[in-house]
Amino acid sequence: MAQHSFHSIGSARAFIGLALALMIGLLAPPASAQTATNATLARVLVLGTGGTIAGQANARAGNAYDSGKISAANLIAAIPGIDKLATISAEQISSIGSQDMNDKVWFDLVKRIRAAIENKEVDGVVITHGTDTMEETAFFLQNVLDTEIPIVLVGSMRPSTAIGADGPANLYDAMRVASAPESRGRGVLVVLNDTIHGARWVQKTNTTSVQTFRSPDAGPVGYVDTGSLRFLAGAPAKGAKYKLPDAPPLPRVDIVYSHANMDAAEVEDAVKRGAKGIVLAGVGDGNSSKGAIDALAAAAKQGVVVVRSSRVGSGYVNRNVEVEDDKLGFAVALDLNPQKARVLLELLIANGITDPKAVQQAYAQ
C-alpha cells in the first residue's frame, strides 16, 4: 500500500512538473522573441554631472550630505526595473554640486550629446544634475541643441542615502520620458516629483521641498506616474539656436540685484571687472533706484548690453512702462528670470548680437 502511494505521488509530481513546463513554455517567449523585444527598446544615454541625487550623508549635521559622490552608473544599478524601460548606457561628465556648474561642463555636455546624435547612438538623453542651477543648464542646452531627441534633466532634493530619497523615483520617471516616442521634438525637459517642465519656464522655488520645481508663468508641460505619461499640449515651436565658441568661457555677464537704498556701485563694479553684459534683477517690473538706472544707462553707452529682469519670481517685465528702455538702450527679459536672462545674454554676445533691438527680439523668441 505504501509502495502504491509512493508511485502515485511520484506520478502526480511528474505530471505537475510536466504541466508547469508546458505552461512556462507557452507563456515565455522564445529566445528570438526576447532578443527582438530588447532590440525595440529605446537607447538612452545617461550623463552624470553630480548633484544631490548623487549625494552621500555626512556626519557634520543630521541632514548634511556631500554632492556628487555616487556615479550615474551606480544610481541606475540601484533602481529595480529601470532596465526594462530602455537600453541604458551611462557616462560621468563631472562630479560636482550644481552650485559649481560652469561653462566647461556645459560645453562638455553639448559635445557629448552632439556626438551621440551624429553617430546615431541614442534615442534619448538623461542628465543627472543638482537642483540649484538645473534650470540654467536646461535653458542653456535648449538654446544650443537642435534635435528632435528628448533631452531630460533630473535631480533630487534628498541625497541617495537619505530616508525617503526621491532620486530613484525621479530618475525612473526621467527614463520613461526620455525613452517615450511622444517626448520627441519637445525640447529640453526637466522631470522631478512626477512632473514634466519645459526648460524656458521651470524654476526652483523652495529650498528643501520635493515639490520645488514649478513653472509659474506657464505651468508644467506634462505629468508622469506609474500608470501613464501625459503631455498637456502639442510640441512647442522651435526657438533660435545659437553657436558656441570653439572653447569656453562664454562672455562675462553679471547679475546686479536691486534693493532698497541702492546706489551705482554694483553696476560700476561690474563694468570695471569687464562685464560685457549686465542683467538687472530689478524690483517689481524690473526697476531700480535712480542711481542704478543712471549707471546702467552709462554702461549701455559704453557698449555693455543691459537687460532688465525682475527679482520677483514670476510675471513679465514690460518695456517702457516704468523705465524708458528705448531712450536708455535697454532690453527687457520678458518672462525670463535673472539667471536665465543671463544665460541667453551670454549666448547672444558670443554670437555677436549686441544691438538692443536685436537682443530684445531674441528674448521674445
Side-chain angles (χ1 to χ4, degrees), residues 172-184:
Y172 187 91
D173 285 350
M175 188 63 63
R176 289 190 62 201
V177 174
S179 61
E182 55 266 45
S183 300
R184 291 181 62 86

Side-chain angles (χ1 to χ4, degrees), residues 110-122 145-147 149:
V110 171
K111 181 179 179 181
R112 183 64 187 97
I113 293 169
R114 283 177 173 166
I117 293 170
E118 289 170 4
N119 296 331
K120 299 183 178 180
E121 300 175 38
V122 297
L145 292 174
D146 189 7
T147 179
I149 288 176

Side-chain angles (χ1 to χ4, degrees), residues 210-228:
V210 295
Q211 200 174 358
T212 183
F213 281 96
R214 298 176 183 272
S215 297
D217 293 323
V221 299
Y223 295 96
V224 55
D225 55 41
T226 55
S228 61

Side-chain angles (χ1 to χ4, degrees), residues 313-325:
S314 63
Y316 278 56
V317 174
N318 299 286
R319 287 188 61 82
N320 298 313
V321 175
E322 296 184 44
V323 178
E324 294 183 88
D325 296 298

Side-chain angles (χ1 to χ4, degrees), residues 108-320:
D108 288 346
L109 282 170
V110 171
K111 181 179 179 181
R112 183 64 187 97
I113 293 169
R114 283 177 173 166
I117 293 170
E118 289 170 4
N119 296 331
K120 299 183 178 180
E121 300 175 38
V122 297
D123 303 301
V125 176
V126 170
I127 300 169
T128 60
H129 197 290
T131 58
D132 286 344
T133 58
M134 181 182 290
E135 64 193 82
E136 291 162 75
T137 298
F139 187 63
F140 168 78
L141 295 173
Q142 173 75 16
N143 280 279
V144 298
L145 292 174
D146 189 7
T147 179
E148 295 290 306
I149 288 176
I151 310 294
V152 181
L153 278 78
V154 64
S156 72
M157 291 302 291
R158 298 169 183 163
S160 63
T161 52
I163 296 174
D166 53 325
N170 289 343
L171 184 49
Y172 187 91
D173 285 350
M175 188 63 63
R176 289 190 62 201
V177 174
S179 61
E182 55 266 45
S183 300
R184 291 181 62 86
R186 294 182 178 274
V188 177
L189 302 170
V190 171
V191 175
L192 283 95
N193 202 41
D194 298 337
T195 309
I196 310 170
H197 294 275
R200 183 178 181 100
W201 305 291
V202 67
Q203 297 182 33
K204 185 174 183 178
T205 64
N206 188 282
T207 57
T208 56
S209 171
V210 295
Q211 200 174 358
T212 183
F213 281 96
R214 298 176 183 272
S215 297
D217 293 323
V221 299
Y223 295 96
V224 55
D225 55 41
T226 55
S228 61
L229 170 61
R230 305 185 304 280
F231 284 101
L232 303 180
K238 284 188 177 182
K241 304 298 177 183
Y242 300 100
K243 294 181 180 179
L244 288 178
D246 292 335
L250 291 166
R252 177 169 182 156
V253 175
D254 287 355
I255 297 175
V256 173
Y257 194 91
S258 186
H259 53 82
N261 199 36
M262 186 176 185
D263 58 21
E266 295 174 48
V267 176
E268 292 172 348
D269 185 64
V271 175
K272 288 178 183 177
R273 290 177 179 272
K276 303 301 181 185
I278 296 176
V279 172
L280 174 67
V283 295
D285 195 14
N287 207 345
S288 194
S289 67
K290 183 179 185 305
I293 293 295
D294 288 347
L296 288 168
K301 287 181 180 179
Q302 297 176 43
V304 177
V305 185
V306 176
V307 175
R308 293 191 304 111
S309 183
S310 176
R311 71 181 198 178
V312 172
S314 63
Y316 278 56
V317 174
N318 299 286
R319 287 188 61 82
N320 298 313

